[in-house]
C-alpha cells in the first residue's frame, strides 16, 4: 500500500485526502496577515498550511525577469515578501498550536537548512525545482518526507528526482501541476495522474491546482490524488500575484468537505447492499393477480402482472418464468403470487 506519514498524518489512497492551504507569499511580507490566514484555514477545517521560505541572496542573482502573473520583477517580489526566520518560527508555532501541519517550500539550500533548523516534519518542493537535482538531493538527505510538484516537467525529468528519493529511502509524494496562473480547465490535464501512477507505482499522488474553484480537485480525488494544494487568501481583494487564483475561507471549507466526501464515495463493487432492503421492499415490484384466478387457470398476461411493493415471494424479474403455469388454487385479485401457487 502506497503510504507516506507526515506529522502522524497518513497519506495515500486508503486515507482521506490532505488539503494544503498554500499561503505562499499572499501575506506580501506581513507576518500578521500570514497568521490571520493560518487561523482562517484552521477555522475552515484545513489540516495543513504552507508558506514559502526565501533567502534571496542564496536563491537568485539580481534580475529583472517579470513572472507572467505579475507586473514587477521576481527579484522585487521575493525581496518584499520574504519573511525572517523569527517570523516563520512564529507562523509554525501558531499553526501547530491550532493542530495543523506546517509546511514550507525552500527555494535554496540556505532556505532548506533554515527549515531543518526549525524542526519541520516534511518538505514541499515547487515545480521550478523539480529538476533542480542538487537541491532535491540536499533536501532529501534530511530523511524527511518530500512533496514534489511537477509542473513544467515531464516523466523523463521527474525520473532523476524520484531516483534520488529512492536512493536515499526518502518517502515522497508527486503532485501533478500545470504552471499557468490561472490554469484553463482544458490545460489541467488530470490524465497526467494516470501517467504518474504508471511511471511511479510506489508514489503517493496529488494535485497542486492553479485553476479557478474546486472542481478539478474533486475530480482529482476520484482519479487517485491523495494530496490537494490550493493557493489560499483571507480576502480576494488583497494585493499579490497569486491572490486571483486563491480560494477564500468559504471555498477552502468546501474543498476540505468535498474532497473527503468524494473519497468516501470511491471504491466498492456493483452489488446489492443489505442496507438497501427497506428500499427494495417498496421500490421493487412483485407478481400479482390482476383478476380473480380459479384453480386450473393458465397464468397469462391477462390475469397476472407486476405491481409494488416488492414484498412478494416472486419479484418482477421472474415474471416470464410464471407465464404459462397452471394455478393450483384460487387466487384473489391483487394477491401476491408464491411459487407453490401453481404447477411446474
Amino acid at each position: 500500500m502506497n503510504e507516506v506519514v507526515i506529522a502522524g498524518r497518513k497519506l495515500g489512497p486508503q486515507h482521506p485526502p490532505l488539503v494544503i492551504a498554500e499561503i505562499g507569499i499572499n501575506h506580501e511580507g506581513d507576518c500578521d496577515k500570514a497568521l490571520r490566514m493560518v487561523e482562517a484555514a484552521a477555522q475552515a477545517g484545513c489540516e495543513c498550511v504552507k508558506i514559502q521560505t526565501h533567502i534571496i541572496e542564496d536563491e537568485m542573482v539580481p534580475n529583472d525577469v517579470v513572472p507572467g502573473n505579475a507586473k514587477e520583477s521576481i527579484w522585487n517580489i521575493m525581496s518584499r515578501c520574504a519573511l525572517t526566520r523569527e517570523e516563520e518560527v512564529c507562523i509554525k508555532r501558531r499553526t501547530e498550536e491550532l493542530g495543523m501541519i506546517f509546511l514550507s517550500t525552500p527555494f535554496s539550500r540556505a532556505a532548506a537548512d533554515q527549515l531543518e533548523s526549525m524542526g519541520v516534519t516534511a518538505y514541499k518542493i515547487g515545480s521550478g525545482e523539480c529538476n533542480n537535482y542538487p537541491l532535491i538531493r540536499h533536501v532529501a538527505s534530511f530523511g524527511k518526507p518530500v512533496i514534489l510538484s511537477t509542473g513544467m516537467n515531464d516523466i523523463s525529468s521527474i525520473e532523476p528526482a524520484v531516483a534520488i528519493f529512492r536512493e536515499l529511502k526518502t518517502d515522497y509524494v508527486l503532485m501533478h501541476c500545470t504552471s499557468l496562473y490561472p490554469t484553463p480547465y482544458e490545460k489541467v490535464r488530470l490524465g497526467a495522474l494516470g501517467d504518474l501512477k504508471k511511471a511511479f507505482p510506489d508514489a503517493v499522488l496529488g494535485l497542486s491546482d492553479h485553476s479557478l474553484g474546486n472542481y478539478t480537485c474533486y475530480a482529482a480525488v476520484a482519479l487517485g490524488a491523495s494530496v490537494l494544494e490550493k493557493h489560499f487568501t483571507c480576502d480576494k481583494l488583497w494585493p499579490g500575484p497569486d491572490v486571483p487564483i486563491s480560494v477564500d475561507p468559504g471555498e477552502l471549507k468546501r474543498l476540505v468537505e468535498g474532497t473527503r466526501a468524494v473519497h468516501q464515495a470511491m471504491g466498492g463493487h456493483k452489488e446489492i447492499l443489505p442496507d438497501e432492503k427497506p428500499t427494495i421492499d417498496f421500490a421493487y415490484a412483485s407478481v400479482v393477480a390482476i383478476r380473480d384466478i380459479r384453480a386450473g387457470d393458465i397464468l397469462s398476461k391477462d390475469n397476472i402482472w407486476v405491481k409494488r411493493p416488492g414484498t412478494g415471494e416472486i419479484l418482477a424479474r421472474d415474471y416470464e418464468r410464471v407465464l404459462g403455469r397452471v394455478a393450483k388454487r384460487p387466487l384473489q385479485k391483487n394477491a401476491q403470487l408464491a411459487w407453490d401457487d401453481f404447477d411446474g
Side-chain angles (χ1 to χ4, degrees), residues 147-218:
I147 300 173
L148 175 66
S149 280
T150 61
M152 304 176 290
N153 285 267
D154 57 17
I155 297 298
S156 64
S157 59
I158 298 167
E159 284 175 338
V162 170
I164 292 171
F165 296 142
R166 289 171 175 167
E167 174 193 343
L168 298 180
K169 295 180 172 54
T170 299
D171 290 339
Y172 69 100
V173 177
L174 294 181
M175 305 285 281
H176 170 54
C177 177
T178 300
S179 299
L180 295 174
Y181 310 88
T183 304
Y185 295 126
E186 68 273 15
K187 294 186 178 179
V188 173
R189 302 165 302 152
L190 291 178
L193 288 166
D195 294 340
L196 290 171
K197 183 177 182 179
K198 181 178 180 181
F200 311 105
D202 56 331
V204 172
L205 301 180
L207 175 70
S208 181
D209 183 42
H210 301 127
S211 68
L212 299 179
N214 294 333
Y215 305 126
T216 51
C217 285
Y218 298 146

Side-chain angles (χ1 to χ4, degrees), residues 74-102:
I74 190 68
W75 175 271
N76 289 344
I77 292 172
M78 296 312 173
S79 297
R80 184 181 68 253
C81 296
L83 298 167
T84 67
R85 183 185 189 281
E86 291 70 25
E87 288 171 328
E88 292 196 1
V89 168
C90 179
I91 294 168
K92 178 177 182 290
R93 182 187 307 118
R94 184 59 180 148
T95 298
E96 293 172 347
E97 286 174 353
L98 293 168
M100 293 187 292
I101 300 168
F102 171 86

Side-chain angles (χ1 to χ4, degrees), residues 129-138 153 156-158 160-161 164:
E129 285 65 52
C130 181
N131 56 23
N132 185 343
Y133 309 127
L135 180 60
I136 289 176
R137 180 172 291 277
H138 185 71
N153 285 267
S156 64
S157 59
I158 298 167
I164 292 171

